[in-house]
């Protein structure tokens, strides 16, 4: 019963992420910019993580930009504006790190791309994922990529310093 429920929740999340990916990519398809990247981001297992990380940090940046556009406005709000600007910078770093971490974990997979020619002269690409020990391609390799990214990556180490500053802030 638990497996059926878990499967249902997984299908609902996958369908929702696919729908969000199609809607979010619609303006980009019109001009042809970064459609594939946005679509893959919303179809990834990190869809919920990225949605929360980007969605909760974006308002701080928007409000800081609006405050910068209108100026201090008088009334001795300089300290509050400085706080808002620093908070916006830390939120931007948090958003960039969320995208970076999810991309590193997903792109670390070993793919072999081969170009094959069919009998009619057309070409196609075939991707093959590397198989882990004992034929395991998912959980073991995924845990290794997560461990490598979170523990050994210098970019994540710099982000952890900023995350501590963000938490103290």
């Amino acid at each position: 019963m638990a497996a059926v429920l878990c499967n249902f929740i997984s299908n609902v999340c996958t369908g929702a992420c696919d729908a969000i990916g199609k809607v979010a990519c619609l303006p980009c398809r019109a001009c042809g910019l970064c459609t594939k990247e946005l679509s893959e981001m919303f179809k990834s297992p990190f869809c919920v993580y990225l949605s929360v990380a980007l969605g909760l940090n974006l308002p701080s940046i928007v409000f800081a930009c609006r405050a910068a556009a209108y100026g201090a406005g008088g009334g001795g709000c300089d300290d509050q504006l400085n706080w808002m600007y620093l908070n916006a910078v830390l939120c931007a770093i948090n958003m960039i790190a969320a995208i970076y971490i999810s991309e590193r974990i997903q792109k670390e997979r070993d793919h072999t791309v081969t170009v094959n020619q069919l009998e009619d002269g057309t070409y196609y690409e075939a991707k093959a994922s590397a198989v882990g020990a004992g034929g395991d391609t998912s959980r073991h390799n995924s845990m290794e990529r997560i461990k490598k990214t979170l523990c050994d990556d210098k970019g994540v180490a710099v982000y952890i310093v900023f995350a501590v500053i963000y938490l103290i802030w």
Side-chain angles (χ1 to χ4, degrees):
M1 184 64 176
V4 171
L5 182 61
C6 189
N7 228 359
F8 173 74
I9 292 171
S10 174
N11 289 340
V12 168
C13 288
T14 301
C17 289
D18 286 344
I20 290 171
K22 288 180 182 178
V23 170
C25 292
L26 189 61
C28 296
R29 282 192 190 126
C31 64
L33 295 175
C34 61
T35 305
K36 182 179 177 187
E37 290 81 9
L38 277 175
S39 178
E40 286 193 16
M41 182 175 80
F42 283 112
K43 289 181 182 179
S44 77
F46 292 96
C47 175
V48 175
Y49 167 67
L50 288 172
S51 298
V52 170
L54 300 178
L56 292 179
N57 287 304
L58 189 61
S60 297
I61 295 171
V62 170
F63 288 131
C65 291
R66 288 191 65 193
Y70 292 117
C77 293
D78 291 334
D79 290 339
Q80 290 83 1
L81 281 174
N82 289 335
W83 183 90
M84 188 180 290
Y85 296 148
L86 182 59
N87 189 47
V89 168
L90 292 173
C91 285
I93 291 170
N94 199 18
M95 292 168 66
I96 291 167
I99 294 170
Y100 175 77
I101 290 169
S102 65
E103 283 294 313
R104 288 285 296 186
I105 291 171
Q106 290 180 34
K107 299 299 180 191
E108 286 289 321
R109 289 182 246 170
D110 295 327
H111 287 296
T112 304
V113 177
T114 58
V115 178
N116 300 309
Q117 185 176 11
L118 296 174
E119 292 177 9
D120 63 355
T122 59
Y123 292 92
Y124 70 94
E125 290 184 1
K127 278 188 184 178
S129 296
V131 177
D136 184 18
T137 59
S138 58
R139 192 166 290 224
H140 175 72
N141 287 342
S142 177
M143 289 305 293
E144 288 298 319
R145 289 191 311 270
I146 291 169
K147 181 181 171 188
K148 181 180 176 188
T149 300
L150 295 180
C151 297
D152 298 335
D153 193 71
K154 292 177 184 173
V156 174
V158 171
Y159 168 67
I160 290 172
V161 171
F162 281 108
V164 169
I165 293 170
Y166 186 73
L167 288 174
I168 292 171
W169 182 249

